[in-house]
Amino acid sequence: MNIALWIITGLLTALYLFSGFGKLFVPREKMAQMANAARWVLDFKPGTLKAIGALEVLGAVGLILPALLGIAPILVPLAASGLTLIMTGAVIMRIRRGETKAALGDGGYLALAAFVAIGRFVLEPFTG
């Protein structure tokens, strides 16, 4: 279980770092042109997108850094819980926009983040 949690945590960290930095540094008009599934960014103000991106980067750092450094490892399941909340909002937004396939993808990320949260709170916590 511990190995599975580390693998999923690593994948989620990479995903949220990439996604978060994209929201922080790529203009939303350019992001919207990248794919049909990215047009949702036009529904939000640039400041809101930057806030979402910053939360994703902070969540990604919180998924891995506390455990690697052994400093406040309780932050790992808390970060996973925060990312679960972000992805819940993403799924709701996709459903409202009628983007079923994208909602399923976001739901997959939601499930993985929830698995890490539950895994590190209950199944394989870092603290005794």
Side-chain angles (χ1 to χ4, degrees):
M1 182 60 70
N2 190 42
I3 293 171
L5 285 166
W6 272 109
I7 290 169
I8 293 170
T9 299
L11 292 172
L12 287 175
T13 299
L15 170 87
Y16 286 111
L17 282 175
F18 180 75
S19 174
F21 281 124
K23 289 177 184 78
L24 285 172
F25 298 113
V26 177
R28 72 181 185 143
E29 290 77 18
K30 186 173 181 180
M31 200 181 315
Q33 293 173 354
M34 291 180 184
N36 284 337
R39 291 196 181 153
W40 67 269
V41 298
L42 297 175
D43 293 347
F44 293 89
K45 295 178 182 176
T48 304
L49 286 178
K50 293 200 184 304
I52 294 169
L55 289 172
E56 288 179 350
V57 170
L58 287 173
V61 170
L63 281 178
I64 207 147
L65 204 56
L68 288 178
L69 297 177
I71 300 172
I74 189 64
L75 293 176
V76 173
L78 292 175
S81 298
L83 291 170
T84 300
L85 292 173
I86 289 173
M87 294 315 298
T88 300
V91 170
I92 291 169
M93 183 264 312
R94 296 286 194 178
I95 291 170
R96 284 184 177 171
R97 289 179 51 87
E99 298 173 352
T100 308
K101 288 182 183 179
L104 290 173
D106 288 345
Y109 297 133
L110 167 71
L112 290 174
F115 175 72
V116 172
I118 293 167
R120 290 303 180 196
F121 271 130
V122 179
L123 304 175
E124 286 282 337
F126 289 116
T127 57

